[in-house]
Structures are given as structure tokens and as C-alpha cells.
């Protein structure tokens, strides 16, 4: 999700057992050799998850500000986030995994497919995370067809390269912001559509899929930063632990789970109020220039349907559009893995590991 302000990702220093790097401008530099992993405990589809001889084991993170680490500040400036915490717990020995974080605040699904994906593939990672889509739901021109096409392109390319791809369903932004129901429901419907697409593509392409949207901790205020859109340090740690647990369940090599002990202070009500009074208002105004006019129209339609008791028709129409978007993707029909209109209501604690 796009932050109101924040230090540039390039300022982020190496943290923990894995160094977070910015993408190189040319071919990746030679890295210290990492021994090949044994075949035991790998996902079923070879060569998925295998290391290339003479290269470091790489974890490349693609996405937006959630993966950039907003909400988990470092003492010297910059952000850490769940990807750094998870990278430090991957592999079979300390210092054995190199993180390259390509995530950029405000990125849309198309930005990831067009700009981040080519760099990620050139790095030939063993692991790659693909968590994006929330910003798309906050745009007036939201179209699930474009989101599905971009995600399918990125997911399919990475998976086809033999990379273990990590994805997640995301919480509803309207719910997180505490918006009134007529405003929150259209945003929630969009987020469910994105989650349905991600769920279907995980079943189609394989990888590790985290059903984050329904995890109990996502409703805990302490797990979110002052802007209520990005996880706090605790939220980032829980997200990293969720991926770690799914990777371990899939038989992939992991070390000890990321700790839950906090390095910084949890967010406070005073801090939240201060953020809204200083930076939050500007963020809302910036978003209003794009989102608010269309969202008000959606809210008016939502209100009319609510009075008439026909809100289910809006849900059904969104479901049909999502199914059509999946059916229009090239290759095997991803819609075949979509179990029904409620598929996007991801069950807590479930994992998808296919291949």
C-alpha cells in the first residue's frame, strides 16, 4: 500500500542474518558459493527450490510498501519488514540467504509485472515473494481483469523458472481504516476479487500461499502501525512467522522461526492521532483526487442496494467479473480451481503447496 511519507528503501541497511539490497543496474555480481541443498524436504516439482551451483541462495521480494517494510522502522532510518525477518530464517545455515527487496511503495500489480519481474528473474532466486494488489483496489480505474493478467504473468514466469513463489491474501483496507459500511463494502468487494485471483493462481502455478486475510491477529490493533494500513513491527513479525510455518510445512529448508520479541515500541493512540493530524490528512487528500469521486458513486449505489435488500446482486456481479477475468487468462483455466463465490474468504491457517 502507498505510504504518506517514509524514508527511501535505498536507505535501508542490512539487517539480521540476511542483507536487504536494492536491485542491481546490471547483471548480478558474483556471490559467495553456497552448498547445494540435499533433495530431502523439497517441494515435489523439481527443480523448484534448487540452488544453482556457485551462486548464493537468493530471496527476491516483489510488491509494494507492505513488503518494503513500512510500519517496521529501523533506528537509523529506513524500514525492515517481514521479508528481512523471513530471509534471516530461511535456508539451512546463518548468513546463507541473500535478500534483494525490489518492493516499491505505491506499486500496482502491473508495476510488479512490468518493472520488478525482469530484475527478479535475472537474479535467478530460489525464493520470491509476490504480494501486491491492495493499491489496485484504491484506484478509481480498478479492473480485476488487468490485475489478474499482471499477477498471472509474474507468478507464471517465476514459477516456470523453478522459483518457490510466496503469495498471500490481504485484509480488506476499508475494514482496516474503519470506513463507514457504504464506503467499506465496495473496497472490500475489490479486495475479495484480488484475493480470489491470488488464491486461484496459487492453485494453478504452485508455491506457498498464506491465507493472511482471515488470520486472527489481523484484527488486533497492536499489529498495525499508526496509519492502520501497514503492519507494525509485531504485525511484520507475525507475517514472517506465518510464511515460515507454511514453508516448513511444505518441507522447505528453514531455520528457527522469526522471534516475536519487539525491538521498538508498539504504536500508541497518541501516535495514531499525531500521524493523522500531520501526515495522514495529506495522504487522504492525495488519495481523494483519484479514489474519492468514484468511491462516492460506489457508496451511493451500495446504499441504494442496501435499502432495497439487493446487496447480494453486487456480490454476484463482482464474482462473475472475477471468474471471467480468470477464464480469460492464457493457458490452463485458472477459474477451474475457483470453488465458488466465497472462495476469497480465505480460511485461516491453510496453506497451498502444489507442483
Amino acid at each position: 500500500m502507498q505510504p504518506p511519507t517514509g524514508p527511501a528503501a535505498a536507505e535501508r541497511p542490512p539487517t539480521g542474518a540476511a542483507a536487504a539490497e536494492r536491485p542491481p543496474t546490471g547483471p548480478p555480481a558474483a556471490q559467495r558459493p553456497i552448498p547445494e541443498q540435499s533433495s530431502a524436504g523439497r517441494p515435489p516439482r523439481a527443480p523448484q527450490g534448487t540452488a544453482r551451483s556457485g551462486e548464493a541462495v537468493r530471496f527476491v521480494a516483489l510488491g509494494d510498501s507492505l513488503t518494503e517494510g513500512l510500519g517496521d522502522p529501523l533506528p537509523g532510518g529506513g524500514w525492515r519488514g517481514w521479508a528481512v525477518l523471513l530471509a534471516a530464517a530461511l535456508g539451512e545455515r546463518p548468513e546463507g540467504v541473500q535478500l534483494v527487496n525490489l518492493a516499491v511503495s505505491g506499486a500496482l500489480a502491473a508495476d510488479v509485472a512490468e518493472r520488478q519481474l525482469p530484475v527478479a528473474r535475472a537474479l535467478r532466486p530460489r525464493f520470491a515473494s509476490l504480494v501486491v494488489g491492495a493499491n489496485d483496489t484504491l484506484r478509481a480505474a480498478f479492473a480485476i481483469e488487468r490485475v489478474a493478467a499482471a499477477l498471472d504473468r509474474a507468478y507464471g514466469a517465476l514459477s516456470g523458472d523453478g522459483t518457490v513463489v510466496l503469495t498471500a491474501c490481504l485484509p480488506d483496507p476499508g475494514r482496516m481504516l474503519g470506513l463507514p459500511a457504504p464506503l467499506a463494502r465496495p473496497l472490500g468487494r475489490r479486495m475479495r476479487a484480488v484475493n480470489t485471483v491470488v488464491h486461484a493462481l496459487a492453485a494453478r502455478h504452485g508455491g506457498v500461499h498464506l491465507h493472511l486475510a482471515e488470520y486472527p491477529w489481523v484484527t488486533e490493533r497492536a499489529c498495525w502501525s499508526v496509519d492502520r494500513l501497514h503492519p507494525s513491527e509485531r504485525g511484520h513479525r507475525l507475517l514472517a512467522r506465518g510464511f515460515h510455518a507454511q514453508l516448513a510445512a511444505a518441507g522447505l529448508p528453514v531455520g528457527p522461526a522469526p522471534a516475536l520479541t519487539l525491538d521498538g515500541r508498539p504504536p500508541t493512540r497518541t501516535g495514531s492521532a499525531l500521524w493523522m493530524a500531520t501526515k495522514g490528512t495529506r495522504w487522504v487528500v492525495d488519495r481523494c483526487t483519484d479514489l474519492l469521486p468514484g468511491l462516492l458513486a460506489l457508496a451511493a449505489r451500495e446504499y441504494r442496494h442496501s435499502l432495497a435488500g439487493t446487496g447480494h446482486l453486487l456480490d454476484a456481479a463482482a464474482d462473475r467479473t472475477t471468474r471471467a477475468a480468470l477464464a480469460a487468462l492464457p493457458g490452463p483455466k485458472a477459474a477451474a480451481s475457483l470453488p465458488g463465490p466465497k472462495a476469497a474468504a480465505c480460511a485461516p491457517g491453510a496453506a497451498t503447496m502444489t507442483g
Side-chain angles (χ1 to χ4, degrees):
M1 301 177 186
Q2 186 174 3
T5 59
E11 299 173 355
R12 177 175 40 206
T15 304
E21 300 183 358
R22 301 310 300 167
T25 56
Q31 306 292 338
R32 64 183 183 277
I34 298 294
E36 289 281 351
Q37 307 287 346
S38 68
S39 59
R42 288 205 187 137
R45 180 171 58 194
Q48 189 179 40
T50 59
R52 283 80 173 181
S53 178
E55 293 187 1
V57 176
R58 294 193 185 94
F59 169 29
V60 177
L62 300 87
D64 54 28
S65 57
L66 172 66
T67 300
E68 190 182 13
L70 265 77
D72 184 18
L74 290 169
W79 308 103
R80 178 177 51 187
W82 70 266
V84 172
L85 296 167
L86 178 62
L90 289 176
E92 294 179 343
R93 66 180 182 84
E95 306 294 341
V97 175
Q98 176 200 58
L99 171 66
V100 181
N101 198 336
L102 304 177
V104 176
S105 297
L108 305 176
D111 297 326
V112 170
E114 294 169 7
R115 302 172 188 174
Q116 298 179 25
L117 177 63
V119 180
R121 296 185 72 188
L123 291 168
R124 305 203 307 170
R126 173 187 283 194
F127 304 98
S129 61
L130 181 62
V131 183
V132 70
N135 283 320
D136 292 86
T137 68
L138 298 174
R139 296 296 187 271
F142 172 79
I144 192 59
E145 299 88 349
R146 291 196 294 270
V147 175
L151 290 177
D152 182 57
R153 175 183 168 190
Y155 208 147
L158 291 167
S159 181
D161 289 343
T163 300
V164 178
V165 182
L166 285 65
T167 59
C169 293
L170 298 173
D172 171 9
R175 177 185 178 189
M176 300 310 301
L177 287 169
L179 296 177
L183 294 173
R185 285 173 185 159
L187 291 179
R189 198 173 288 116
R190 289 179 172 189
M191 195 71 255
R192 286 193 296 273
V194 173
N195 285 344
T196 297
V197 167
V198 174
H199 183 88
L201 294 180
R204 176 181 183 178
H205 294 296
V208 174
H209 181 56
L210 186 66
H211 295 291
L212 175 66
E214 295 300 323
Y215 265 58
W217 64 261
V218 302
T219 62
E220 297 177 13
R221 184 66 188 90
C223 293
W224 297 92
S225 66
V226 294
D227 64 10
R228 298 191 180 186
L229 287 172
H230 300 96
S232 62
E233 180 189 346
R234 174 174 170 79
H236 278 285
R237 288 185 176 276
L238 286 166
L239 179 53
R241 285 174 68 95
F243 275 122
H244 180 276
Q246 307 298 13
L247 287 163
L252 289 158
V254 292
L260 285 180
T261 304
L262 302 184
D263 297 328
R265 296 180 179 179
T268 63
R269 292 184 180 274
T270 301
S272 298
L274 181 62
W275 178 85
M276 181 57 70
T278 57
K279 301 175 183 178
T281 302
R282 178 178 176 181
W283 186 91
V284 171
V285 170
D286 289 344
R287 290 268 46 77
C288 287
T289 60
D290 174 41
L291 175 65
L292 189 56
L295 184 57
L296 290 176
L298 292 175
R301 184 180 67 168
E302 194 79 36
Y303 183 70
R304 291 195 300 270
H305 277 273
S306 177
L307 291 177
T310 55
H312 64 282
L313 297 179
L314 296 176
D315 295 332
D319 180 62
R320 288 194 299 271
T321 302
T322 305
R323 288 175 174 272
L326 289 169
L329 297 176
K333 298 305 180 185
S337 62
L338 185 60
K342 296 184 180 180
C346 303
T352 299
M353 186 67 209
T354 61

